[in-house]
């Protein structure tokens, strides 16, 4: 719960709870002591009352027993009983019973059957009980008939043998019990219970209706064992009770005298004491809670002050705690204050480091963003211009003159800009780029302002006392008019303008949103390319290559095509360049290799044993791990695989490139030098490359009919390749004249739209089936039904 999150509340609850627990234990102990004392007192009263009751019953039994004995010893009565003179027996018994005012009684003859008096169930029960007696003297005890107890005495009639019994009985009903209860000093309740054969103790309904038979029987058994008073539950509440055994006339029965007294009545005299203890406890609890709250507040007040100071320190505000005591909390507060001061000093230093360039002391890009954001906070949403000033050849200057000299140059440029624009904010955005923010500045003033900066910085700058330097700069300008880009976006757009200026080889460029959109579109296309590679949406198409010598299609070149769901067919030059720049060229080349090897097997099954040429990026040529992976894939080919590699890819890293090409050749792959003549072709590298084929770029073939220089270059390239042992493939063959001219020059293979456009695998099969071959004079292009292609 939220309330227990406060330390003061937890302390108050803890101390109050402990005191309440102690108070509860004391109250419980006091209550148990009072109950124990009350039970002992009541037990003494109950035992005394039981003694009185038993004494009274004994006196009554003795009186009845004396009259029964007198009758049993009367000579005439004995004679009548012996001779079965029933009339004399009944007369003598009735006379005695009426004179003694006895409730019930009977005379039992020699045969054990009642002769006079009670002849009902009581008489039969008494007769059965006495028939089991061997005593020759008078006896007395309790006998129960249907849970109703009777006090009975019996005297044997002897002459000299036993002729029968004289029996008197008195019912112990509720009135009799009330008479006995009146003899006690406390208002106890008395009852006589007899145990049945099932073990339950039962008695008259008016004496036992407040108890459950099972719990009452359990209590009586326990009380007879312990001979002590204990508690038993009843419908009138908890009772203090004790059970005292009574003599029984029937040896098969057990009877007890149950005396009980309400616990509430026993505790009534102690109620003031218990109330006083409760009041004292509650008062003490309130005092402890109040003291706990006071103590908790004194303990938590400095802690809360420390918490507030810590939050202030977290939020960048001064966090100091006022010390008012001299205890341990004061020591803690003093230590916290020292820590806060140290943190504030370090944070100040860190902020300075985070917001400035350490080498020159200029604000850095983060501080530049904060400045622009500050203008926004002041409500300045237009008329802000950001200029990124890039120092050309900065890396060369730093390499020649040193890092310290280069940093000093940055500082001198900053000084010049400050003199030109007193209100400008200048920062160092990167090693060779300064940022300048001006406000206000209209959009038509942005370019003139940039030209003024360039003109001033074009002059020779004195870097040190004895050294000056001609500095060339490029400027990218972004002006915020009605748009609301973020500070970071404003800086990025100015940097993009700087890149645009350098790419266009101009000194100054204003941010062009179209080029920015192209860059954003390139980023989007990059993500879509990765998705296309993951879903294998790119396709491999094939362009046939015709052999002049064999007059047939001997091979095909694999070309990747991407039919985008929204863009349509994407230019291979564009997405292949993206793949090379992002590293996706590995996955792209792997998919192409697997597809080509599978299609080569399908071509062979269809009866076409064709070589397949695959473009192999120069970015992969220096990747030894991928080269090994590509070789593993190519080993599964069922025909010849030729890797087309540009000569410039080898020139970039000759050692690794030539080693990779030699490894390919050793494993049985053919190598083709692609786009020959378009780069910085070197005869030295051409001599070292163990290539099997040289492909002349289409830019020479397209002009071969009209340009004598192109025709001469093509012929020279063919002769050179043949001299180095390579076959020659001409790309871009589209006309019959070019086809025939190349044949006359000794070209080996023709490739281009005049032979066949790039086509999917299914169309390639149809193309190969429809191809009719060359004429006998071999002076015409092959004829076929052209298929759709891209």
């Amino acid at each position: 719960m939220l309330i227990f999150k406060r330390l003061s509340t937890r302390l108050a609850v803890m101390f109050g709870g402990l005191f309440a627990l102690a108070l509860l234990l004391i109250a419980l102990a006091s209550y148990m002591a009072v109950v124990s004392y009350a039970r002992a007192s009541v037990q003494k009263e109950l035992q005394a009352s039981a003694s009185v009751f038993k004494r009274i019953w004994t006196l009554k039994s003795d009186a009845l027993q004396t009259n029964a004995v007198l009758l049993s010893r009367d000579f005439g009565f004995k004679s009548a009983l012996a001779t079965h003179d029933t009339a004399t027996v009944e007369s003598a018994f009735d006379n005695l019973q009426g004179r003694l005012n006895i409730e019930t009684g009977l005379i039992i003859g020699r045969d054990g059957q009642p002769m006079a008096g009670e002849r009902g169930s009581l008489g039969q029960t008494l007769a059965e009980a006495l028939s089991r007696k061997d005593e020759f003297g008078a006896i007395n005890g309790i006998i129960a008939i249907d849970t109703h107890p009777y006090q009975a005495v019996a005297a044997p009639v002897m002459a000299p043998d036993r002729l029968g019994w004289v029996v008197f009985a008195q019912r112990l009903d509720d009135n009799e019990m009330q008479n006995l209860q009146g003899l006690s000093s406390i208002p106890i309740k008395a009852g006589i219970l007899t145990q049945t054969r099932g073990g339950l103790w039962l008695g008259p309904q008016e004496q036992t209706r407040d108890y459950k038979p099972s719990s009452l029987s359990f209590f009586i058994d326990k009380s007879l064992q312990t001979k002590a008073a204990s508690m038993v539950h009843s419908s009138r509440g908890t009772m203090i009770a004790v059970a005292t055994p009574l003599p029984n006339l029937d040896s098969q029965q057990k009877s007890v005298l149950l005396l009980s007294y309400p616990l509430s009545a026993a505790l009534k005299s102690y109620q003031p004491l218990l109330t006083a203890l409760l009041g004292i406890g509650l008062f003490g609890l309130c005092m402890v809670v109040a003291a706990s709250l006071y103590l908790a507040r004194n303990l938590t007040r400095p802690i809360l002050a420390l918490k507030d100071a810590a939050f202030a320190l977290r939020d960048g505000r001064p966090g100091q705690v006022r010390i008012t005591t001299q205890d341990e909390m004061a020591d803690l507060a003093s230590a916290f204050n020292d820590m806060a001061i140290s943190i504030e000093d370090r944070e100040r230093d860190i902020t300075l480091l985070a917001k400035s360039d350490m080498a020159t002391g200029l604000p850095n890009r983060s501080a530049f963003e904060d400045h622009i954001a500050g203008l926004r906070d002041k409500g300045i949403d237009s008329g802000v211009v950001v200029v990124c000033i890039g120092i050309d050849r900065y890396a060369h200057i730093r390499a020649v003159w040193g890092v310290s000299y280069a940093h000093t140059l940055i500082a001198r440029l900053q000084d010049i800009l400050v003199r030109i624009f007193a209100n400008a904010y200048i920062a160092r955005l990167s090693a060779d780029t300064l940022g300048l923010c001006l406000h206000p500045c209209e959009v038509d003033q942005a370019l003139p302002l940039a030209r003024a900066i360039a003109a001033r910085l074009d002059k020779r700058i004195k870097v040190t006392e004895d050294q000056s330097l001609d500095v060339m700069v490029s400027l990218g300008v972004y002006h915020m008019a009605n748009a609301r880009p973020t500070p970071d976006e404003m800086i990025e757009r100015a940097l993009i303008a700087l890149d645009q200026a350098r790419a266009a080889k101009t000194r100054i460029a204003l941010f062009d949103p179209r080029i920015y959109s192209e860059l954003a579109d390139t980023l989007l296309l990059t993500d879509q390319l990765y998705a296309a590679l993951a879903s294998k949406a790119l396709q491999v198409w094939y362009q046939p290559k015709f052999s002049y010598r064999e007059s047939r299609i001997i091979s095909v070149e694999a070309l990747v095509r991407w039919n985008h769901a929204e863009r349509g067919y994407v230019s291979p030059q564009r997405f292949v360049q993206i793949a090379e720049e992002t590293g996706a060229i590995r996955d792209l080349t792997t998919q192409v290799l697997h597809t080509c090897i599978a299609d080569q097997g399908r071509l062979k099954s269809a009866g076409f044993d064709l070589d397949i040429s695959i473009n192999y990026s120069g970015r992969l040529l220096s990747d030894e791990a991928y080269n090994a992976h590509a070789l593993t894939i190519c080993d599964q080919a069922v025909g010849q695989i030729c890797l087309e590699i540009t000569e410039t890819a080898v020139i970039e890293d000759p050692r690794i490139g030539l080693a990779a090409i030699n490894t390919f050749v050793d494993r049985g792959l053919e190598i083709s030098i692609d786009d020959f003549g378009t780069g910085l072709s070197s005869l030295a590298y051409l001599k070292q490359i163990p290539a099997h084929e040289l492909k002349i770029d289409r830019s020479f073939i397209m002009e071969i009919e009209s340009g004598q220089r192109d025709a001469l270059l093509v012929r020279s390239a063919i002769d050179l390749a043949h001299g180095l042992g390579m076959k020659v493939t001409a790309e871009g063959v589209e006309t019959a004249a070019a086809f025939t001219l190349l044949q006359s020059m000794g070209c080996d293979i023709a490739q281009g739209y005049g032979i066949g456009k790039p086509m999917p695998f299914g169309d390639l099969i149809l193309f190969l089936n429809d191809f009719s071959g060359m004429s006998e004079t071999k002076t015409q292009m092959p004829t076929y039904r052209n298929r759709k292609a891209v």
Side-chain angles (χ1 to χ4, degrees):
M1 296 175 64
L2 294 177
I3 188 173
F4 291 110
K5 287 187 176 182
R6 296 180 63 88
L7 178 60
S8 58
T9 305
R10 291 203 299 269
L11 288 174
V13 171
M14 182 182 68
F15 288 127
L18 289 176
F19 183 80
L21 179 61
L23 182 64
L24 179 63
L25 293 176
I26 293 173
L28 183 61
S30 300
Y31 179 78
M32 294 302 295
V34 169
V35 171
S36 179
Y37 182 77
R39 184 176 63 181
S41 300
V42 172
Q43 181 179 359
K44 291 180 181 180
E45 289 291 336
L46 294 178
Q47 289 175 343
S49 298
S51 299
V52 172
F53 294 167
K54 291 177 70 175
R55 181 61 180 167
I56 293 174
W57 288 343
T58 300
L59 292 174
K60 292 180 65 176
S61 297
D62 289 346
L64 291 174
Q65 184 175 327
T66 299
N67 288 284
V69 170
L70 289 175
L71 179 61
S72 68
R73 292 180 181 178
D74 184 80
F75 180 77
F77 178 76
K78 289 194 290 184
S79 298
L81 186 62
T83 60
H84 293 282
D85 186 357
T86 304
T88 302
V89 171
E90 289 181 352
S91 176
F93 178 75
D94 292 340
N95 182 42
L96 181 60
Q97 182 178 3
R99 183 161 44 85
L100 295 177
N101 195 24
I102 299 174
E103 180 181 352
T104 185
L106 75 159
I107 302 297
I108 300 175
R110 185 190 297 271
D111 57 357
Q113 296 298 319
M115 292 182 61
E118 176 65 37
R119 297 178 183 273
S121 59
L122 176 60
Q124 294 296 329
T125 302
L126 288 170
E128 291 178 4
L130 291 175
S131 66
R132 293 188 288 270
K133 295 292 185 179
D134 295 331
E135 289 83 352
F136 294 96
I139 57 176
N140 64 78
I142 303 297
I143 191 167
I145 304 299
D146 295 333
T147 71
H148 294 288
Y150 289 83
Q151 183 182 9
V153 295
V157 181
M158 307 298 296
D161 294 333
R162 188 172 61 195
L163 300 177
W165 293 88
V166 178
V167 182
F168 294 120
Q170 183 72 31
R171 182 172 179 172
L172 300 175
D173 54 10
D174 193 49
N175 292 330
E176 187 69 22
M177 290 295 102
Q178 290 179 2
N179 293 333
L180 293 175
Q181 291 167 187
L183 300 175
S184 175
S185 61
I186 58 176
I188 63 174
K189 182 176 179 60
I192 296 177
L193 290 81
T194 303
Q195 190 177 35
T196 64
R197 292 184 179 180
L200 293 177
W201 292 88
L202 301 176
Q205 179 67 23
E206 63 271 9
Q207 297 176 10
T208 60
R209 59 174 171 263
D210 296 333
Y211 303 96
K212 289 185 178 179
S214 58
S215 59
L216 185 60
S217 298
F218 176 78
F219 163 75
I220 292 174
D221 292 337
K222 179 180 177 183
S223 180
L224 291 176
Q225 292 179 359
T226 61
K227 298 180 180 181
S230 59
M231 264 79 74
V232 61
H233 295 287
S234 71
S235 61
R236 296 192 302 166
T238 303
M239 310 291 288
I240 301 177
V242 65
T244 303
L246 294 175
N248 284 81
L249 190 66
D250 189 350
S251 59
Q252 295 183 353
Q253 287 185 343
K254 291 182 180 180
S255 299
V256 294
L257 173 63
L258 179 65
L259 301 177
S260 60
Y261 186 71
L263 177 62
S264 59
L267 296 177
K268 189 174 183 180
S269 59
Y270 300 99
Q271 194 66 38
L273 175 61
L274 294 176
T275 303
L277 289 176
L278 178 61
I280 293 172
L282 292 176
F283 176 75
L285 178 61
C286 293
M287 293 298 296
V288 168
V289 170
S292 300
L293 288 173
Y294 176 77
L295 177 62
R297 280 198 299 268
N298 287 339
L299 286 176
T300 57
R301 187 179 295 113
I303 296 176
L304 292 176
L306 285 172
K307 182 195 74 171
D308 295 338
F311 282 137
L313 198 63
R314 180 198 65 182
D315 298 335
R317 295 180 283 110
Q320 299 287 324
V321 180
R322 188 168 59 90
I323 301 174
T324 58
T325 62
Q326 295 182 353
D327 53 8
E328 290 82 355
M329 295 303 297
D331 296 338
L332 178 60
S334 178
F336 180 85
N337 289 340
D338 294 340
M339 180 189 70
I341 293 172
S342 177
I343 290 175
E344 290 172 4
D345 292 341
R346 283 198 296 270
E347 185 175 356
R348 191 179 304 109
D349 295 339
I350 292 172
T351 302
L352 181 62
L353 292 174
K355 299 297 182 181
S356 62
D357 178 61
M358 292 300 299
T360 61
L362 290 172
N364 60 10
R365 175 165 177 164
S366 178
F368 199 57
E369 292 179 7
D370 292 343
H371 175 75
I372 299 174
L375 295 177
R376 287 281 185 83
D377 295 338
K378 295 177 182 178
I380 300 173
D381 295 329
S382 61
V384 178
V385 65
V386 176
V387 181
C388 288
I389 305 169
I391 304 170
D392 299 337
R393 301 184 301 112
Y394 177 81
H396 178 72
I397 294 171
R398 184 175 57 184
V400 173
W401 297 99
V403 175
S404 177
Y405 185 90
H407 292 329
T408 304
L409 172 62
I410 296 293
R412 293 291 180 268
L413 292 177
Q414 188 257 353
D415 293 338
I416 295 172
L417 292 173
V418 168
R419 287 196 295 270
I420 299 175
F421 308 102
N423 297 325
Y425 189 85
I426 303 169
R428 188 177 187 182
L429 303 183
S430 63
D432 63 345
T433 305
L434 291 174
L436 184 143
C437 178
L438 279 175
H439 172 78
C441 180
E442 299 300 328
V443 64
D444 55 353
Q445 298 175 348
L447 282 178
L449 179 120
R451 294 191 186 99
I453 295 174
R456 177 62 185 86
L457 296 183
D458 275 347
K459 297 179 180 179
R460 192 170 185 83
I461 297 175
K462 187 176 182 180
V463 181
T464 62
E465 291 295 332
D466 54 351
Q467 288 183 335
S468 297
L469 185 67
D470 289 327
V471 178
M472 296 185 64
V473 296
S474 299
L475 287 83
V477 183
Y478 175 75
H479 183 274
M480 184 178 71
N482 297 322
R484 290 181 56 84
T486 64
D488 180 66
E489 290 174 342
M490 293 180 65
I491 298 172
E492 284 299 324
R493 292 178 183 183
L495 289 172
I496 291 172
L498 175 61
D499 293 337
Q500 293 171 0
R502 286 173 169 169
K505 301 186 185 307
T506 61
R507 300 292 303 279
I508 302 169
L510 190 64
F511 173 74
D512 189 344
R514 293 174 300 174
I515 299 178
Y516 180 73
S517 298
E518 292 177 1
L519 294 174
D521 184 67
T522 299
L523 291 176
L524 177 61
L525 188 63
T526 300
D527 292 338
Q528 294 173 345
L529 175 60
Y530 275 100
L533 287 172
S535 61
K536 296 185 178 179
L538 275 68
Q539 299 177 337
V540 178
W541 287 21
Y542 300 95
Q543 186 174 29
K545 298 170 68 175
F546 177 80
S547 173
Y548 285 106
R549 185 180 302 275
E550 300 182 28
S551 298
R552 67 182 182 89
I553 303 298
I554 61 170
S555 63
V556 292
E557 180 182 357
L559 300 170
V560 184
R561 293 294 182 265
W562 181 11
N563 188 7
H564 194 278
E566 299 175 358
R567 300 171 182 262
Y569 282 97
V570 183
S571 169
Q573 288 79 10
R574 187 178 184 191
F575 72 77
V576 170
Q577 181 181 3
I578 292 174
E580 289 183 332
E581 292 175 352
T582 61
I585 192 65
R586 294 175 178 80
D587 294 337
L588 176 60
T589 304
T590 299
Q591 289 190 18
V592 171
L593 287 173
H594 282 296
T595 302
C596 289
I597 289 174
D599 289 346
Q600 190 179 49
R602 295 164 62 190
L603 285 169
K604 191 168 186 178
S605 299
F608 302 106
D609 189 6
L610 301 179
D611 299 347
I612 296 182
S613 297
I614 301 171
N615 289 285
Y616 199 80
S617 172
R619 299 290 180 93
L620 300 177
L621 200 61
S622 58
D623 191 339
E624 297 180 358
Y626 186 82
N627 292 336
H629 178 63
L631 281 172
T632 302
I633 299 175
C634 293
D635 287 341
Q636 305 172 14
V638 298
Q640 184 64 53
I641 298 295
C642 177
L643 300 182
E644 296 189 4
I645 301 172
T646 60
E647 183 185 7
T648 54
V650 181
I651 296 176
E652 290 179 0
D653 196 335
R655 183 182 62 84
I656 297 178
L658 290 173
I661 291 174
N662 286 321
T663 303
F664 290 150
V665 173
D666 292 341
R667 293 285 287 271
L669 299 180
E670 290 189 354
I671 300 298
S672 175
I673 300 176
D674 195 14
D675 298 336
F676 179 76
T678 58
L680 300 175
S681 300
S682 171
L683 295 178
Y685 287 119
L686 191 63
K687 179 183 68 174
Q688 298 180 55
I689 299 175
H692 301 80
E693 179 185 61
L694 186 139
K695 298 187 71 174
I696 301 175
D697 188 72
R698 61 182 294 115
S699 61
F700 294 97
I701 304 302
M702 299 293 290
E703 302 294 334
I704 194 174
E705 302 175 41
S706 58
Q708 293 184 356
R709 294 175 64 87
D710 288 337
L712 180 61
L713 289 173
V714 170
R715 180 182 294 274
S716 299
I718 293 173
D719 294 338
L720 175 63
H722 287 166
L724 295 175
M726 292 184 285
K727 57 188 175 183
V728 178
T729 296
E731 294 182 304
V733 178
E734 297 185 358
T735 64
F739 178 85
T740 304
L741 185 57
L742 287 168
Q743 183 182 29
S744 65
M745 291 180 181
C747 184
D748 301 291
I749 300 171
Q751 177 183 352
Y753 279 22
I755 306 299
K757 297 181 179 181
M759 62 193 73
F761 180 82
D763 290 348
L764 176 65
I765 295 294
L766 296 177
F767 171 82
L768 294 174
N769 287 326
D770 291 347
F771 191 79
S772 60
M774 293 285 292
S775 64
E776 290 298 328
T777 60
K778 297 183 181 181
T779 58
Q780 297 179 354
M781 291 182 65
T783 59
Y784 60 93
R785 293 194 295 274
N786 206 351
R787 303 289 174 182
K788 62 180 180 178
V790 177

